[in-house]
Amino acid sequence: MKNSLIRRSLVATASALVLLGAWLPVAQAQNKMVLRISTPAVPDDWHAKMWTVFKDSLDKSAPGEFDVQINLNASLFKQGTEPAAMARGNLELSSISAFDIAKLVPEFSVFTAGYIVRDPDHQQKVFNGPIGTEMFKSVVEKMDVRPLSTVYLGTRQVNLREARNVKTPADLKGVKLRMPGSKEWLFLGEALGATPTPLAFGEVYLGLKTGTIDGQDNPLPTVRAAKFYEVTKQLVLTNHLVDGIFIAVSNKAYNAMTPAQRQKVTAAAQAASQYNNENRMKEEAQIVDFFKQQGLQVSTPDLDAFRKAVQSAYQNSDYAKVWPKGLVERINNTK
Ligand code: KDO
């Protein structure tokens, strides 16, 4: 009788311990704030690798507090749908482009215009100064997401399937130039003189290979990382857009963080951008030789002709009508 009582209580204690053991890790995981990240970037590109820097930085500064989940290749959300997913509460972080922002904050289209931002240093000064502060305030209010840092995506160049003599925008007439699928992007392609064709980033390689498009535009480190050089013959160094993306967190996630966590997440985003920016600039400075070795023709067009045509296309467009008075001058005067 006594023995069976002892046995029963031992069994009960053991099962309680087993239950507790199974439950504890769940509880710990539940206490961690999940930060889902989605980006179309390919693993070998700097703005994909930077997310590992973000994760490592947070794991160090806030051990056990966040569960950072990185999803590359647009495997979680389609390119361009990330801001809406963040606003709905289905995604916590992403890198959003000026083109994504311009859809909801029209004056942001100034940063989708070719030949406005001069170089990566100018870009950082503009976004880390008063212009960035004002513009990001509108983003927080109108998009329900908060930009945390500015990532230099690189300087966009034209990359063609078949080589041709391109000196001025007129030489791109009829060229089916792939652009990401929004009207702001298509306008840029048109301003360059081409026939813009919308296509998601993940479909560009095949489009170039099969000839459904004649070319695409992207910064050179991306042309390497996504292997577009395998299916194209020419790079035309138009330097038409010093492109930026912004590491952004949903307001919902940000508001759920403690002040200390917000500060750590912001610091991690800044470390990630810095890693990207330094490596990308270093690579851009020496990457042309790589393409030459791969057999690509690398040509420099008449940059003044491109600059004049693109700037006048924007100045005469509806986009420019919503740019606050004096903004372009303020951007130009940022040194
Ligand atoms: C592209 O689709 O060409 C683009 O460069 C647009 C950027 O805004 C960004 O989405 C980028 O693709 C992806 O991150 C893939 O590099």
Side-chain angles (χ1 to χ4, degrees), residues 249-268:
V249 60
S250 72
N251 281 354
K252 191 170 175 221
Y254 190 78
N255 294 340
M257 291 173 198
T258 63
Q261 286 177 326
R262 289 177 190 167
Q263 189 263 323
K264 287 170 188 171
V265 167
T266 306

Side-chain angles (χ1 to χ4, degrees), residues 35 45 106 133 143-144 158 160 163-164 192 197 242 253 265 279 316:
L35 296 181
D45 213 337
T133 308
M143 295 182 68
D144 229 1
V158 169
L160 299 175
R164 56 195 280 147
L192 287 166
T197 307
V242 176
V265 167
N279 282 296
N316 297 317

Side-chain angles (χ1 to χ4, degrees), residues 143-164:
M143 295 182 68
D144 229 1
V145 307
R146 172 179 293 267
L148 299 176
S149 65
T150 302
V151 176
Y152 173 54
L153 188 65
T155 300
R156 297 185 85 92
Q157 316 289 358
V158 169
N159 176 210
L160 299 175
R161 194 169 177 267
E162 296 296 340
R164 56 195 280 147

Side-chain angles (χ1 to χ4, degrees), residues 39-41 47 79 97 153 156 178 180 185 201 217-218 222 245:
T39 168
H47 64 303
Q79 182 181 32
S97 73
L153 188 65
R156 297 185 85 92
R178 171 273 168 180
W185 278 110
F201 183 80
D217 87 305
N218 252 297
T222 297
I245 50 175

Side-chain angles (χ1 to χ4, degrees), residues 8 18 48 136 180 182 310 324:
R8 253 190 293 174
V18 167
F136 289 157
S182 79
V310 171

Side-chain angles (χ1 to χ4, degrees), residues 53-264:
V53 173
F54 175 85
K55 182 176 162 51
D56 290 350
S57 163
L58 264 192
D59 285 348
K60 213 162 158 198
S61 66
E65 291 180 45
F66 294 99
D67 175 11
V68 178
Q69 301 174 0
I70 305 169
N71 301 278
L72 307 179
N73 291 318
S75 57
L76 196 56
F77 286 99
K78 275 196 205 153
Q79 182 181 32
T81 64
E82 304 91 347
M86 283 196 275
R88 281 198 311 272
N90 294 338
L91 182 68
E92 284 69 43
L93 281 137
S94 181
S95 51
I96 60 178
S97 73
F99 295 79
D100 297 326
I101 298 175
K103 289 183 200 164
L104 290 160
V105 184
E107 62 270 27
F108 217 94
S109 64
V110 71
F111 297 114
T112 69
Y115 303 105
I116 285 261
V117 177
R118 291 188 295 268
D119 52 48
D121 180 53
H122 185 215
Q123 181 181 61
Q124 290 296 319
K125 287 187 174 134
V126 168
F127 289 109
N128 294 331
I131 298 175
T133 308
E134 285 160 35
M135 298 289 244
F136 289 157
K137 193 166 171 278
S138 305
V139 174
V140 175
E141 287 162 8
K142 294 188 184 162
M143 295 182 68
D144 229 1
V145 307
R146 172 179 293 267
L148 299 176
S149 65
T150 302
V151 176
Y152 173 54
L153 188 65
T155 300
R156 297 185 85 92
Q157 316 289 358
V158 169
N159 176 210
L160 299 175
R161 194 169 177 267
E162 296 296 340
R164 56 195 280 147
N165 187 11
V166 181
K167 286 290 170 220
T168 72
D171 300 319
L172 287 176
K173 195 170 169 11
V175 169
K176 278 188 268 162
L177 188 68
R178 171 273 168 180
M179 304 300 288
S182 79
K183 70 174 177 30
E184 289 79 8
W185 278 110
L186 299 179
F187 188 84
L188 178 62
E190 231 174 81
L192 287 166
T195 303
T197 307
L199 205 61
F201 183 80
E203 290 161 38
V204 175
Y205 185 94
L206 202 61
L208 289 168
K209 192 172 176 168
T210 57
T212 51
I213 48 173
D214 301 322
Q216 66 92 29
D217 87 305
N218 252 297
L220 298 184
T222 297
V223 174
R224 179 198 55 80
K227 299 195 174 0
F228 296 153
Y229 63 87
E230 290 179 354
V231 283
T232 53
K233 299 212 174 98
Q234 187 184 20
L235 287 166
V236 187
L237 302 180
T238 45
N239 291 337
H240 56 273
L241 184 71
V242 176
D243 204 0
I245 50 175
F246 308 92
I247 293 187
V249 60
S250 72
N251 281 354
K252 191 170 175 221
Y254 190 78
N255 294 340
M257 291 173 198
T258 63
Q261 286 177 326
R262 289 177 190 167
Q263 189 263 323
K264 287 170 188 171

